[in-house]
Amino acid sequence: MDFKYIIALSTLITAFFSAGAQSSYLQALETPNPWVDSVFKSLNKTEKIAQLFFVRAHTNRGKAYEDSVAKVIKRERIGGLVFFQGGPGRQAVLTNTYQSLAEVPLLIMSDGEWGLGMRLDSTIAYPYQMALGAIQQPQLLYRMGQEIAKDYKRIGMHMNLAPDVDINNNINNPVINYRSFGDNKYHVTARAGAYMKGMQDGGLLVTLKHFPGHGDTDVDSHYDLPLLPFSRERLDSLEIYPFRELIQAGAAGVMIAHMNIPALDPTKNIPSTLSRPIVQGILKDGLGFKGLVVTDAMEMKGVVKHFPEGEADVMSIVAGNDILELSENSRRGIRMVRRAVRQERIPMERIDESVKKILTAKYWAGLHTRDTINEHHVYDDVNRAESIHLRKELANAAMTMVKGKSYINTLSSAKRTVIVAVGTPDETLFQRELRSYYSGSTTYRLDKNASANQISAVMRNIGTQDQIIVSIHDTRVRPGNNIPLSADLKMFIRDMAARKASFALFANPYNLAVLPGLEQAGALLLAYQKEDFMQQAAADVFKNKLVPTGKLPVTINAYFKAGDGE
């Protein structure tokens, strides 16, 4: 890493964090608060424990499910909700209902790493963090954070379980991957910091995740317990770096990962979520973190596999977590924590500390003043023109030309041009845009399972003097590794690259490792994902309307390395 680059990023982060739009949540924790004191004193021991439990909510599972959550709110007096799939209007209405049932207002959260669109239909989804990692103007990410804060607050949410600050330094990572800003700790910190600052300045609580760093794993903690076999020195200098820097910059929250890390806690099969040496010892005492400590979902196999039947809930509080997200059974968990207090396994002071932090978060989010969400025009209010324009700016800034920038400039709009879409049976926006620009163009499509005969039929129509533009599309819901293309298609891609075709990759950049031959292409533009706003930006590059400025945020192989981009 070039020293001047490090200094530049450090200066940028300092500039972003030098002034805030309002007093921070961390400042609120240090300020006497009569409302917090009054509510705290009104709670009995069981009600205090219940404030630590946050349960799942949906608006796409029907009335019976919604009613079951309402019963939990009334019966257990939980601290908050974590919303998942549904729609923004329905969520606003249901939130009003749920808040009316709660004696202490509910703190409401969701994980929106790329905005409301990560969970809700008919809302804006911004580019994934891997695409955002290519952007060289972090102020765009700051603005994105502000827009997401507006969206969250409009439908009655107070905390975004984002940003993801994991350094994705394992190409085979099945759970972080495209959710990471990249594989360089300075790069990740600068971009995550800008995003975090934008949200917090917009009045939204955030959580950095997944502490102490989930980037170098090849196991998904939703299904099993990942092992991090690295030394304490390695973890301190790499994985923990973004957390350390962003905690110092004022992060309101941190989410703990479910990972087994023997160098930090040698207890057999202990997930970091349940480890007091990690949560209390390293995060709170070592890094001096004073904000909200949130568990990753407590229903995940990475935590309950070895600590079932509610024991994980108890241990997570012993470890030092403040908010237990998605207990397998909140009623059982509250009862077991109450028993642990009676048995003096958990000091009541440990519970009280978390309750006061949660109540302060509710006050900071404005919940001390009872109000209802405006249920009218929700769709319009979370699909603002300025947000849509910002998404276009982000897509434009993410375009990464790793090869052949000058070659693109030689393409003639009047020359016969063959435009082939690989991986999809349908004509793409990218093709339609280029067909309107290249007057002598012909388009073809080869689906992901295209046969040798289908491919040969296309190749017979490509002349030796034709300009060739090939777009590669991953049509899966999420842009993962191992793009599902037939062996014949991969050979077609290699052959077209040897003929100096120009390529646009609408897929995870890690797929460059399984598409050999692209290093020979005349030009190669990385567009990171399949969405139309990325296809429009890529088309503008090929129409010479947009100069690509993105840089590859991860190293793929010897041909494509982090920082590449002409």
Side-chain angles (χ1 to χ4, degrees), residues 341-362:
V341 171
R342 288 197 301 268
Q343 295 172 345
E344 299 185 350
R345 185 179 173 191
I346 301 176
M348 197 61 206
E349 292 78 13
R350 169 77 273 283
I351 304 292
D352 290 348
E353 171 196 349
S354 292
V355 174
K356 289 178 180 178
K357 288 164 72 173
I358 292 167
L359 292 176
T360 300
K362 293 181 177 184

PDB file of all heavy atoms in Angstrom, residues 341-362:
ATOM      1  N   VAL A 341     -30.142 -14.566  36.622  1.00  0.00           N
ATOM      2  CA  VAL A 341     -29.969 -13.453  37.558  1.00  0.00           C
ATOM      3  C   VAL A 341     -30.197 -13.932  38.988  1.00  0.00           C
ATOM      4  O   VAL A 341     -29.424 -13.607  39.902  1.00  0.00           O
ATOM      5  CB  VAL A 341     -30.929 -12.291  37.198  1.00  0.00           C
ATOM      6  CG1 VAL A 341     -30.907 -11.220  38.286  1.00  0.00           C
ATOM      7  CG2 VAL A 341     -30.548 -11.682  35.861  1.00  0.00           C
ATOM      8  N   ARG A 342     -31.259 -14.701  39.195  1.00  0.00           N
ATOM      9  CA  ARG A 342     -31.537 -15.221  40.540  1.00  0.00           C
ATOM     10  C   ARG A 342     -30.405 -16.104  41.042  1.00  0.00           C
ATOM     11  O   ARG A 342     -30.078 -16.102  42.231  1.00  0.00           O
ATOM     12  CB  ARG A 342     -32.846 -16.021  40.535  1.00  0.00           C
ATOM     13  CG  ARG A 342     -34.097 -15.177  40.407  1.00  0.00           C
ATOM     14  CD  ARG A 342     -35.336 -15.972  40.820  1.00  0.00           C
ATOM     15  NE  ARG A 342     -35.512 -17.160  40.011  1.00  0.00           N
ATOM     16  CZ  ARG A 342     -36.236 -17.207  38.897  1.00  0.00           C
ATOM     17  NH1 ARG A 342     -36.839 -16.097  38.455  1.00  0.00           N
ATOM     18  NH2 ARG A 342     -36.368 -18.329  38.216  1.00  0.00           N
ATOM     19  N   GLN A 343     -29.795 -16.839  40.112  1.00  0.00           N
ATOM     20  CA  GLN A 343     -28.699 -17.738  40.484  1.00  0.00           C
ATOM     21  C   GLN A 343     -27.361 -17.006  40.590  1.00  0.00           C
ATOM     22  O   GLN A 343     -26.330 -17.642  40.822  1.00  0.00           O
ATOM     23  CB  GLN A 343     -28.589 -18.863  39.450  1.00  0.00           C
ATOM     24  CG  GLN A 343     -29.799 -19.786  39.412  1.00  0.00           C
ATOM     25  CD  GLN A 343     -29.751 -20.763  38.239  1.00  0.00           C
ATOM     26  OE1 GLN A 343     -28.982 -20.599  37.289  1.00  0.00           O
ATOM     27  NE2 GLN A 343     -30.588 -21.805  38.303  1.00  0.00           N
ATOM     28  N   GLU A 344     -27.395 -15.691  40.375  1.00  0.00           N
ATOM     29  CA  GLU A 344     -26.203 -14.818  40.440  1.00  0.00           C
ATOM     30  C   GLU A 344     -25.181 -15.168  39.368  1.00  0.00           C
ATOM     31  O   GLU A 344     -23.997 -14.864  39.503  1.00  0.00           O
ATOM     32  CB  GLU A 344     -25.568 -14.860  41.837  1.00  0.00           C
ATOM     33  CG  GLU A 344     -26.516 -14.364  42.911  1.00  0.00           C
ATOM     34  CD  GLU A 344     -25.851 -14.297  44.281  1.00  0.00           C
ATOM     35  OE1 GLU A 344     -24.716 -14.817  44.411  1.00  0.00           O
ATOM     36  OE2 GLU A 344     -26.461 -13.734  45.193  1.00  0.00           O
ATOM     37  N   ARG A 345     -25.663 -15.784  38.311  1.00  0.00           N
ATOM     38  CA  ARG A 345     -24.800 -16.043  37.162  1.00  0.00           C
ATOM     39  C   ARG A 345     -24.635 -14.770  36.325  1.00  0.00           C
ATOM     40  O   ARG A 345     -23.604 -14.552  35.708  1.00  0.00           O
ATOM     41  CB  ARG A 345     -25.413 -17.151  36.305  1.00  0.00           C
ATOM     42  CG  ARG A 345     -24.567 -17.590  35.147  1.00  0.00           C
ATOM     43  CD  ARG A 345     -25.249 -18.700  34.378  1.00  0.00           C
ATOM     44  NE  ARG A 345     -24.525 -19.019  33.160  1.00  0.00           N
ATOM     45  CZ  ARG A 345     -24.991 -19.798  32.193  1.00  0.00           C
ATOM     46  NH1 ARG A 345     -26.198 -20.347  32.316  1.00  0.00           N
ATOM     47  NH2 ARG A 345     -24.269 -20.032  31.109  1.00  0.00           N
ATOM     48  N   ILE A 346     -25.674 -13.946  36.315  1.00  0.00           N
ATOM     49  CA  ILE A 346     -25.630 -12.644  35.656  1.00  0.00           C
ATOM     50  C   ILE A 346     -25.958 -11.578  36.699  1.00  0.00           C
ATOM     51  O   ILE A 346     -27.059 -11.594  37.264  1.00  0.00           O
ATOM     52  CB  ILE A 346     -26.658 -12.542  34.508  1.00  0.00           C
ATOM     53  CG1 ILE A 346     -26.428 -13.620  33.453  1.00  0.00           C
ATOM     54  CG2 ILE A 346     -26.595 -11.155  33.859  1.00  0.00           C
ATOM     55  CD1 ILE A 346     -27.480 -13.613  32.343  1.00  0.00           C
ATOM     56  N   PRO A 347     -25.050 -10.655  36.963  1.00  0.00           N
ATOM     57  CA  PRO A 347     -25.370  -9.565  37.891  1.00  0.00           C
ATOM     58  C   PRO A 347     -26.462  -8.679  37.288  1.00  0.00           C
ATOM     59  O   PRO A 347     -26.468  -8.421  36.085  1.00  0.00           O
ATOM     60  CB  PRO A 347     -24.055  -8.793  38.013  1.00  0.00           C
ATOM     61  CG  PRO A 347     -23.007  -9.673  37.428  1.00  0.00           C
ATOM     62  CD  PRO A 347     -23.674 -10.567  36.449  1.00  0.00           C
ATOM     63  N   MET A 348     -27.389  -8.209  38.126  1.00  0.00           N
ATOM     64  CA  MET A 348     -28.427  -7.336  37.603  1.00  0.00           C
ATOM     65  C   MET A 348     -27.825  -6.059  37.045  1.00  0.00           C
ATOM     66  O   MET A 348     -28.403  -5.442  36.128  1.00  0.00           O
ATOM     67  CB  MET A 348     -29.444  -7.015  38.703  1.00  0.00           C
ATOM     68  CG  MET A 348     -30.753  -6.457  38.149  1.00  0.00           C
ATOM     69  SD  MET A 348     -31.597  -7.633  37.042  1.00  0.00           S
ATOM     70  CE  MET A 348     -32.554  -6.500  36.010  1.00  0.00           C
ATOM     71  N   GLU A 349     -26.669  -5.676  37.513  1.00  0.00           N
ATOM     72  CA  GLU A 349     -25.997  -4.481  36.987  1.00  0.00           C
ATOM     73  C   GLU A 349     -25.636  -4.651  35.509  1.00  0.00           C
ATOM     74  O   GLU A 349     -25.615  -3.671  34.760  1.00  0.00           O
ATOM     75  CB  GLU A 349     -24.732  -4.176  37.803  1.00  0.00           C
ATOM     76  CG  GLU A 349     -24.972  -3.731  39.235  1.00  0.00           C
ATOM     77  CD  GLU A 349     -25.309  -4.884  40.173  1.00  0.00           C
ATOM     78  OE1 GLU A 349     -25.123  -6.057  39.762  1.00  0.00           O
ATOM     79  OE2 GLU A 349     -25.759  -4.613  41.305  1.00  0.00           O
ATOM     80  N   ARG A 350     -25.353  -5.886  35.117  1.00  0.00           N
ATOM     81  CA  ARG A 350     -25.066  -6.164  33.698  1.00  0.00           C
ATOM     82  C   ARG A 350     -26.309  -5.900  32.843  1.00  0.00           C
ATOM     83  O   ARG A 350     -26.232  -5.316  31.764  1.00  0.00           O
ATOM     84  CB  ARG A 350     -24.590  -7.619  33.590  1.00  0.00           C
ATOM     85  CG  ARG A 350     -24.470  -8.236  32.213  1.00  0.00           C
ATOM     86  CD  ARG A 350     -23.256  -7.793  31.454  1.00  0.00           C
ATOM     87  NE  ARG A 350     -23.546  -6.587  30.734  1.00  0.00           N
ATOM     88  CZ  ARG A 350     -24.240  -6.514  29.611  1.00  0.00           C
ATOM     89  NH1 ARG A 350     -24.713  -7.587  29.037  1.00  0.00           N
ATOM     90  NH2 ARG A 350     -24.456  -5.359  29.036  1.00  0.00           N
ATOM     91  N   ILE A 351     -27.463  -6.313  33.333  1.00  0.00           N
ATOM     92  CA  ILE A 351     -28.724  -6.060  32.633  1.00  0.00           C
ATOM     93  C   ILE A 351     -29.015  -4.554  32.616  1.00  0.00           C
ATOM     94  O   ILE A 351     -29.365  -3.993  31.561  1.00  0.00           O
ATOM     95  CB  ILE A 351     -29.891  -6.804  33.301  1.00  0.00           C
ATOM     96  CG1 ILE A 351     -29.614  -8.309  33.387  1.00  0.00           C
ATOM     97  CG2 ILE A 351     -31.204  -6.505  32.565  1.00  0.00           C
ATOM     98  CD1 ILE A 351     -29.596  -9.025  32.091  1.00  0.00           C
ATOM     99  N   ASP A 352     -28.872  -3.920  33.757  1.00  0.00           N
ATOM    100  CA  ASP A 352     -29.190  -2.491  33.870  1.00  0.00           C
ATOM    101  C   ASP A 352     -28.366  -1.650  32.901  1.00  0.00           C
ATOM    102  O   ASP A 352     -28.870  -0.691  32.301  1.00  0.00           O
ATOM    103  CB  ASP A 352     -28.949  -2.006  35.300  1.00  0.00           C
ATOM    104  CG  ASP A 352     -29.965  -2.556  36.291  1.00  0.00           C
ATOM    105  OD1 ASP A 352     -30.979  -3.125  35.843  1.00  0.00           O
ATOM    106  OD2 ASP A 352     -29.729  -2.433  37.507  1.00  0.00           O
ATOM    107  N   GLU A 353     -27.098  -2.006  32.740  1.00  0.00           N
ATOM    108  CA  GLU A 353     -26.223  -1.275  31.818  1.00  0.00           C
ATOM    109  C   GLU A 353     -26.792  -1.293  30.404  1.00  0.00           C
ATOM    110  O   GLU A 353     -26.863  -0.251  29.728  1.00  0.00           O
ATOM    111  CB  GLU A 353     -24.825  -1.916  31.835  1.00  0.00           C
ATOM    112  CG  GLU A 353     -23.875  -1.388  30.769  1.00  0.00           C
ATOM    113  CD  GLU A 353     -22.665  -2.290  30.558  1.00  0.00           C
ATOM    114  OE1 GLU A 353     -22.445  -3.209  31.373  1.00  0.00           O
ATOM    115  OE2 GLU A 353     -21.956  -2.086  29.561  1.00  0.00           O
ATOM    116  N   SER A 354     -27.242  -2.465  29.956  1.00  0.00           N
ATOM    117  CA  SER A 354     -27.777  -2.578  28.604  1.00  0.00           C
ATOM    118  C   SER A 354     -29.118  -1.863  28.473  1.00  0.00           C
ATOM    119  O   SER A 354     -29.387  -1.203  27.455  1.00  0.00           O
ATOM    120  CB  SER A 354     -27.944  -4.050  28.230  1.00  0.00           C
ATOM    121  OG  SER A 354     -26.675  -4.679  28.108  1.00  0.00           O
ATOM    122  N   VAL A 355     -29.967  -1.971  29.490  1.00  0.00           N
ATOM    123  CA  VAL A 355     -31.280  -1.332  29.425  1.00  0.00           C
ATOM    124  C   VAL A 355     -31.126   0.177  29.278  1.00  0.00           C
ATOM    125  O   VAL A 355     -31.821   0.812  28.462  1.00  0.00           O
ATOM    126  CB  VAL A 355     -32.113  -1.674  30.673  1.00  0.00           C
ATOM    127  CG1 VAL A 355     -33.422  -0.882  30.680  1.00  0.00           C
ATOM    128  CG2 VAL A 355     -32.415  -3.172  30.721  1.00  0.00           C
ATOM    129  N   LYS A 356     -30.243   0.773  30.032  1.00  0.00           N
ATOM    130  CA  LYS A 356     -30.047   2.222  29.943  1.00  0.00           C
ATOM    131  C   LYS A 356     -29.523   2.621  28.559  1.00  0.00           C
ATOM    132  O   LYS A 356     -29.919   3.661  28.022  1.00  0.00           O
ATOM    133  CB  LYS A 356     -29.091   2.681  31.038  1.00  0.00           C
ATOM    134  CG  LYS A 356     -29.702   2.618  32.429  1.00  0.00           C
ATOM    135  CD  LYS A 356     -28.710   3.042  33.506  1.00  0.00           C
ATOM    136  CE  LYS A 356     -29.353   2.965  34.893  1.00  0.00           C
ATOM    137  NZ  LYS A 356     -28.385   3.340  35.965  1.00  0.00           N
ATOM    138  N   LYS A 357     -28.661   1.809  27.975  1.00  0.00           N
ATOM    139  CA  LYS A 357     -28.168   2.113  26.623  1.00  0.00           C
ATOM    140  C   LYS A 357     -29.292   2.006  25.593  1.00  0.00           C
ATOM    141  O   LYS A 357     -29.383   2.819  24.670  1.00  0.00           O
ATOM    142  CB  LYS A 357     -27.010   1.163  26.272  1.00  0.00           C
ATOM    143  CG  LYS A 357     -25.730   1.467  27.036  1.00  0.00           C
ATOM    144  CD  LYS A 357     -24.739   0.321  26.978  1.00  0.00           C
ATOM    145  CE  LYS A 357     -24.104   0.176  25.623  1.00  0.00           C
ATOM    146  NZ  LYS A 357     -23.024  -0.839  25.648  1.00  0.00           N
ATOM    147  N   ILE A 358     -30.158   1.011  25.756  1.00  0.00           N
ATOM    148  CA  ILE A 358     -31.276   0.838  24.826  1.00  0.00           C
ATOM    149  C   ILE A 358     -32.274   1.977  24.980  1.00  0.00           C
ATOM    150  O   ILE A 358     -32.758   2.541  23.982  1.00  0.00           O
ATOM    151  CB  ILE A 358     -31.940  -0.525  25.048  1.00  0.00           C
ATOM    152  CG1 ILE A 358     -30.984  -1.654  24.625  1.00  0.00           C
ATOM    153  CG2 ILE A 358     -33.260  -0.630  24.275  1.00  0.00           C
ATOM    154  CD1 ILE A 358     -31.407  -3.024  25.091  1.00  0.00           C
ATOM    155  N   LEU A 359     -32.603   2.349  26.214  1.00  0.00           N
ATOM    156  CA  LEU A 359     -33.535   3.457  26.436  1.00  0.00           C
ATOM    157  C   LEU A 359     -32.963   4.770  25.918  1.00  0.00           C
ATOM    158  O   LEU A 359     -33.692   5.600  25.357  1.00  0.00           O
ATOM    159  CB  LEU A 359     -33.873   3.571  27.921  1.00  0.00           C
ATOM    160  CG  LEU A 359     -34.701   2.425  28.511  1.00  0.00           C
ATOM    161  CD1 LEU A 359     -34.880   2.615  30.013  1.00  0.00           C
ATOM    162  CD2 LEU A 359     -36.057   2.316  27.819  1.00  0.00           C
ATOM    163  N   THR A 360     -31.661   4.964  26.065  1.00  0.00           N
ATOM    164  CA  THR A 360     -31.032   6.183  25.530  1.00  0.00           C
ATOM    165  C   THR A 360     -31.116   6.196  24.007  1.00  0.00           C
ATOM    166  O   THR A 360     -31.343   7.245  23.392  1.00  0.00           O
ATOM    167  CB  THR A 360     -29.565   6.283  25.986  1.00  0.00           C
ATOM    168  OG1 THR A 360     -29.519   6.314  27.416  1.00  0.00           O
ATOM    169  CG2 THR A 360     -28.903   7.538  25.434  1.00  0.00           C
ATOM    170  N   ALA A 361     -30.956   5.024  23.389  1.00  0.00           N
ATOM    171  CA  ALA A 361     -31.105   4.942  21.929  1.00  0.00           C
ATOM    172  C   ALA A 361     -32.524   5.305  21.519  1.00  0.00           C
ATOM    173  O   ALA A 361     -32.745   6.001  20.510  1.00  0.00           O
ATOM    174  CB  ALA A 361     -30.760   3.537  21.447  1.00  0.00           C
ATOM    175  N   LYS A 362     -33.491   4.868  22.295  1.00  0.00           N
ATOM    176  CA  LYS A 362     -34.888   5.200  21.984  1.00  0.00           C
ATOM    177  C   LYS A 362     -35.132   6.699  22.121  1.00  0.00           C
ATOM    178  O   LYS A 362     -35.825   7.312  21.290  1.00  0.00           O
ATOM    179  CB  LYS A 362     -35.825   4.398  22.888  1.00  0.00           C
ATOM    180  CG  LYS A 362     -35.787   2.901  22.608  1.00  0.00           C
ATOM    181  CD  LYS A 362     -36.744   2.102  23.492  1.00  0.00           C
ATOM    182  CE  LYS A 362     -36.697   0.618  23.107  1.00  0.00           C
ATOM    183  NZ  LYS A 362     -37.666  -0.202  23.854  1.00  0.00           N
TER     184      LYS A 362
END
